[in-house]
Amino acid sequence: MSVAAPSATTTMTYREAVRLAMREELLRDEDVFLMGEEIGVFEGSYKVTAGLFREFGPVRVRETPISEEGFVGAAIGAAMMGLRPVVEIMTLNFILVAMDQVVNHAAKIRYMFGGEVGCPLVIRTPNGGGSQLTAQHSQSFEVFFAHTPGLKVVAPSTPADARGLLKAAIRDDDPILVVENLQSYKIKGEVPEDPDHVVEIGRAAVTREGSDITLVAHSFAATRALRVAERLRADHGVSAEVVDLRSLRPLDTETVVRSVAKTNRALCVDEGWSTYGISAEITSRIQRACFDDLDAPVERVGLAEVPMPYAKNLERAALVNDEKIEAAALSVLGLGPDIFSS
Amino acid sequence: MPSSVAKPRSTNRRSPRRDGDGAPDSSHGLDLYERMALIRVFEEEVERQYKRARIGGYCHLASGQEGATVGAVHPLLEDDLLFSSYRTHGLALARGVDPDAVMAELFGREGGSAHGRGGSMHLLDFSKGFLGGWGIVTGQLPLATGAALALTYRGKPNAVMCELGDAATNMGAWHESLNLAGIWDLPIVFLVLNNQYGMGTSVEKASAEPELYKRASAFRMHGERVDGQDVEAVLGAADRLLRRAREERKPAVLEVITYRYRGHSVADAGTAYRTAVEIETWKERDPIALYRQRLLDERRVGEAQIEAIDARVEKRVEQAVAFAEASPEPPTDSLAQHLHGDPASAEQFARMGPGSPFGERELVLEGLGR
Ligand SMILES: Cc1ncc(C[n+]2csc(CCOP(=O)(O)OP(=O)(O)O)c2C)c(N)n1
Ligand SMILES: [Mg+2]
């Protein structure tokens, strides 16, 4: 039920949009509560929960010790009882110590017990890194979770989607991982004012229309893809279409395929490792559905297949950046050196 | 004792020298003072270089914790082992890792202790028995437990010291590691540097048993607490527990009460969750100032000796910066180096390109005759 005009929007950062979603859902539903390290007095390691502890108090905004396996598991148990915990994991890196609770417990509860009990859990956490954060703190392995039946995984790149998808996730009856991004937090954008505006989980968005090549990406890579599309236009007269996946599981194959059927070329961009990655899945689906439409092999750009090195020059060589995406796109278009077969 | 390996006698190659009454002599006192002063000056320089953007990433300083660090690490013997968390500069220096290699690592240079791959959180010097700098809270505990297992497996007379923070005692891996060390009679000392906070959360808030050393008793393990601003007190306790570990194969928990003056990392001002008064109160018991005063009061050293040390450590840190500046960046084409040990894998991964993440494309295509 919407009171504000559907077109009314406010400008805010991604960080503020995530915070707004939590605030609105805390106000809407008493079963919703937040859990995580440093989310209260410290206001979150990346200040996403700023002000919420003051407004809602220690029961609705529950601070935890550093015990990821314990408190993620506790959130799963609370969710089985019908509560709707929204757990912040400081960064994606630290979810690994709770992996067993997420993959072997949360994801399986409904199926393993024949539908007798559910687990309306949300875990939100930023991926990404760079900035010399190195091997254990600079990673984007959301594919581990997208690989797992029983979980849903979303990865918004804009403030509006960050709010809309988080709200949808909190209202969903199954466990969902919401992948935020360290670099996205400061992005500004228009966010609908309607407190009941949610973004449907499982729908990709065409964030830029074009006719020559489709760039498929999620999370911060989708922001990069838009920038690169603009460079391709300005520097090479190329019309690139950008598909922001938004949701990794379920995956909106239809939107991707419709785009590639139009452009006949596709480049998958992923800030994580390509091998066995999100882009491997997308590529497989494109070749199946668009076999006769393709004018060039579907290609991928991703993180170099190494743990993240510290030295600036090595880190630059490892990370995905706009220049690498542009070179890859030109290669797919046949307008630049063939970087994929050498 | 369940282990079939006999307990060898330890050879104390670097035990603290002591005068007749048990008090460390003057050169020993100066040595402790110099190590603490070096760490303090080194870390102050690190912060300056961080602000000049020559050091990046996460950078955790430990100013205020030098007494705890030096006191605990000093009684380690040459063949003993040390593991640590990410707050690791002081522990590395106390262990004798070359300040040049530490600074070069922070600068991301080939001459660094991890050749520029690891950075601030991942210092290491295997030759010095310093087995890392680890970034995931409590991740180092199972590893240190395994290293202690390796010592007993090989019949070595040595011990492991494993540093962790107060907040790290709330992770499952703490409990699992202590239990393993207990049932396997491992020569390991779990060194809890209790600096009162894990990021912005106080020990009282995070730990149902805030007297952390008592947690050892759940495993029928010895635990004790010591004042970390008193370097000799820490040294005495650490020395005793390490000897016990080496000679009797008994693990222990040593909780050292201390304080970090700076924020959790250079990105944190460190003021949102504690008062200025609290910080000032701790600074009144600065471990370096206290020890300096004590050495002078007890007439173990003279002012001139102290001043000579102060000048020497300044020079040493300048030299480390100069070394780091002169050390080259790792070659960019060495990105895949060190991923695997065997030459065939190393060669394959070094060839990896954007379309061939395994570096296998050439091989496959050549094999197909294309
Ligand atoms: C598993 C895990 N969760 C969270 C973090 C983020 N983090 C890094 S240090 C830290 C606080 C640790 O405090 P403590 O153990 O007391 O050590 P101190 O930093 O005080 O030396 C946190 C939460 C992490 N590195 N690993
Ligand atoms: Mg601490």
Side-chain angles (χ1 to χ4, degrees):
Chain A
M1 194 186 60
S2 160
V3 278
S7 58
T9 62
T10 311
T11 311
M12 66 181 76
T13 62
Y14 187 110
R15 185 193 326 272
E16 289 163 343
V18 174
R19 185 185 306 147
L20 178 64
M22 288 191 280
R23 181 166 184 272
E24 286 172 341
E25 296 306 298
L26 282 163
L27 289 170
R28 190 186 59 81
D29 182 352
E30 288 211 333
D31 286 340
V32 174
F33 70 102
L34 313 184
M35 256 173 127
E37 292 162 24
E38 305 292 345
I39 64 169
V41 177
F42 204 80
E43 304 198 305
S45 233
Y46 298 95
K47 306 296 169 209
V48 179
T49 54
L52 298 179
F53 182 77
R54 229 175 304 127
E55 181 173 359
F56 294 96
V59 174
R60 305 290 302 286
V61 181
R62 183 174 293 271
E63 299 177 289
T64 68
I66 310 175
S67 310
E68 285 87 355
E69 184 179 8
F71 68 77
V72 167
I76 295 168
M80 289 173 73
M81 298 303 295
L83 295 181
R84 288 180 180 269
V86 180
V87 176
E88 174 175 305
I89 298 285
M90 198 175 277
T91 68
L92 182 66
N93 308 286
F94 312 137
I95 205 172
L96 291 180
V97 289
M99 192 83 174
D100 178 68
Q101 287 296 325
V102 178
V103 172
N104 236 346
H105 294 80
K108 292 175 179 158
I109 285 171
R110 187 180 295 282
Y111 188 86
M112 193 165 73
F113 294 113
E116 290 295 318
V117 60
C119 178
L121 166 75
V122 173
I123 299 176
R124 37 165 297 273
T125 184
N127 70 354
S131 313
Q132 296 188 275
L133 297 185
T134 70
Q136 296 189 312
H137 285 81
S138 189
Q139 308 185 80
S140 298
F141 48 63
E142 52 272 18
V143 66
F144 298 173
F145 301 91
H147 183 63
T148 305
L151 293 179
K152 293 180 186 173
V153 182
V154 297
S157 74
T158 66
D161 286 346
R163 168 163 166 273
L165 282 169
L166 178 55
K167 286 166 72 87
I170 293 171
R171 297 176 189 194
D172 196 285
D173 288 334
D174 287 310
I176 302 190
L177 178 70
V178 180
V179 180
E180 298 166 5
N181 178 279
L182 292 177
Q183 279 167 286
S184 300
Y185 280 140
K186 55 184 181 300
I187 291 175
K188 280 193 173 159
E190 294 300 308
V191 174
E193 280 173 13
D194 178 1
D196 273 329
H197 172 85
V198 297
V199 173
E200 190 185 347
I201 292 168
R203 289 272 165 261
V206 176
T207 50
R208 186 186 199 279
E209 302 222 356
S211 52
D212 297 336
I213 184 172
T214 302
L215 306 179
V216 188
H218 69 279
S219 193
F220 190 67
T223 305
R224 283 192 184 284
L226 281 176
R227 287 205 301 245
V228 172
E230 202 40 52
R231 277 167 70 145
L232 286 168
R233 184 197 60 76
D235 299 347
H236 302 279
V238 165
S239 164
E241 180 146 307
V242 176
V243 176
D244 179 351
L245 292 171
R246 302 200 290 187
S247 173
L248 304 177
R249 187 183 190 99
L251 185 64
D252 181 1
T253 310
E254 196 188 321
T255 299
V256 175
V257 164
R258 204 178 305 120
S259 173
V260 179
K262 180 175 71 173
T263 63
N264 311 116
R265 294 173 197 265
L267 174 68
C268 304
V269 187
D270 184 350
E271 296 216 297
W273 296 300
S274 299
T275 304
Y276 304 113
I278 306 282
S279 57
E281 182 64 31
I282 307 289
T283 304
S284 164
R285 293 188 188 213
I286 292 174
Q287 70 79 23
R288 174 71 184 72
C290 305
F291 192 71
D292 293 326
D293 298 310
L294 290 173
D295 288 344
V298 180
E299 296 289 5
R300 308 181 267 164
V301 249
L303 176 63
E305 308 266 330
V306 291
M308 192 67 78
Y310 171 73
K312 274 187 194 160
N313 65 320
L314 293 183
E315 188 189 51
R316 215 176 302 120
L319 283 169
V320 173
N321 59 31
D322 293 3
E323 290 70 31
K324 289 183 191 174
I325 301 170
E326 185 178 20
L330 291 173
S331 176
V332 172
L333 285 157
L335 298 175
D338 177 2
I339 61 169
F340 293 106
S341 36
S342 55
Chain B
M1 197 179 69
S3 167
S4 58
V5 183
K7 287 186 218 161
R9 294 183 64 77
S10 89
T11 44
N12 206 350
R13 247 164 300 177
R14 231 185 60 192
S15 99
R17 287 172 297 252
R18 293 187 184 264
D19 294 340
D21 64 357
D25 66 18
S26 67
S27 69
H28 174 64
L30 285 173
D31 183 26
L32 293 179
Y33 176 81
E34 179 159 356
R35 283 167 194 270
M36 291 194 291
L38 175 69
I39 295 170
R40 175 71 54 88
V41 172
F42 188 95
E43 287 211 306
E44 284 168 355
E45 183 61 26
V46 166
E47 190 170 16
R48 271 192 292 277
Q49 296 293 346
Y50 195 93
K51 290 188 173 139
R52 299 179 61 188
R54 293 159 108 189
I55 295 174
Y58 289 131
C59 184
H60 307 85
L61 304 176
S63 295
Q65 300 186 188
E66 295 88 346
T69 300
V70 170
V73 172
H74 203 269
L76 287 171
L77 304 184
E78 195 177 318
D79 292 335
D80 289 338
L81 303 171
L82 176 65
F83 283 76
S84 93
S85 71
Y86 43 82
R87 200 178 297 285
T88 195
H89 313 147
L91 287 143
L93 294 174
R95 185 58 178 146
V97 180
D98 186 347
D100 291 354
V102 176
M103 193 63 87
E105 188 58 35
L106 299 178
F107 274 53
R109 302 301 170 88
E110 192 62 48
S113 55
H115 309 292
R117 271 66 169 184
S120 164
M121 296 188 288
H122 306 303
L123 301 174
L124 175 136
D125 187 339
F126 207 89
S127 73
K128 290 263 164 44
F130 180 57
L131 268 64
W134 299 88
I136 302 301
V137 168
T138 322
Q140 74 275 25
L141 269 71
L143 313 184
T145 304
L149 174 66
L151 290 178
T152 62
Y153 189 94
R154 294 221 167 105
K156 292 270 166 58
N158 293 95
V160 176
M161 175 166 276
C162 179
E163 180 268 346
L164 61 143
D166 43 276
T169 64
N170 300 313
M171 290 287 281
W174 151 268
H175 300 276
E176 295 183 27
S177 301
L178 264 66
N179 190 55
L180 290 175
I183 58 170
W184 292 341
D185 298 316
L186 297 180
I188 181 166
V189 176
F190 296 98
L191 172 73
V192 182
L193 294 189
N194 180 348
N195 60 8
Q196 319 300 318
Y197 296 91
M199 288 186 88
T201 304
S202 68
V203 174
E204 284 67 31
K205 220 160 116 179
S207 298
E209 172 51 272
E211 294 182 71
L212 302 175
Y213 71 98
K214 289 188 177 168
R215 291 185 166 193
S217 67
F219 306 94
R220 296 195 177 173
M221 191 182 290
H222 175 79
E224 68 181 76
R225 203 177 232 200
V226 64
D227 172 10
Q229 308 314 86
D230 179 346
V231 63
E232 287 186 8
V234 179
L235 192 153
D239 189 34
R240 185 161 33 76
L241 296 184
L242 282 167
R243 284 173 196 273
R244 210 168 144 271
R246 291 184 206 107
E247 287 158 21
E248 301 169 48
R249 289 265 176 85
K250 284 191 174 148
V253 169
L254 177 60
E255 181 189 8
V256 185
I257 303 296
T258 184
Y259 200 76
R260 64 164 157 76
Y261 300 150
R262 316 312 312 272
H264 168 70
S265 70
V266 290
D268 166 34
T271 49
Y273 46 87
R274 52 186 196 175
T275 62
V277 174
E278 179 183 305
I279 299 170
E280 285 316 307
T281 308
W282 275 95
K283 283 187 175 171
E284 282 162 22
R285 294 200 66 243
D286 180 73
I288 301 176
L290 281 181
Y291 196 55
R292 177 191 185 115
Q293 200 53 50
R294 176 166 170 187
L295 290 177
L296 292 171
D297 288 351
E298 294 178 4
R299 297 181 191 285
R300 282 151 63 180
V301 304
E303 287 275 4
Q305 285 171 291
I306 296 268
E307 277 161 21
I309 288 178
D310 289 346
R312 194 156 69 225
V313 300
E314 295 278 352
K315 272 238 145 48
R316 189 65 194 83
V317 171
E318 274 170 34
Q319 182 195 321
V321 171
F323 176 85
E325 281 168 343
S327 177
E329 284 185 340
T332 304
D333 65 6
S334 71
L335 180 61
Q337 199 189 350
H338 309 306
L339 191 59
H340 294 282
D342 65 293
S345 301
E347 201 264 336
Q348 179 184 351
F349 280 90
R351 266 193 289 106
M352 72 186 176
S356 49
F358 280 163
E360 80 288 285
R361 173 167 286 197
E362 272 177 65
L363 296 180
V364 173
L365 297 183
E366 273 165 28
L368 292 172
R370 289 172 67 179

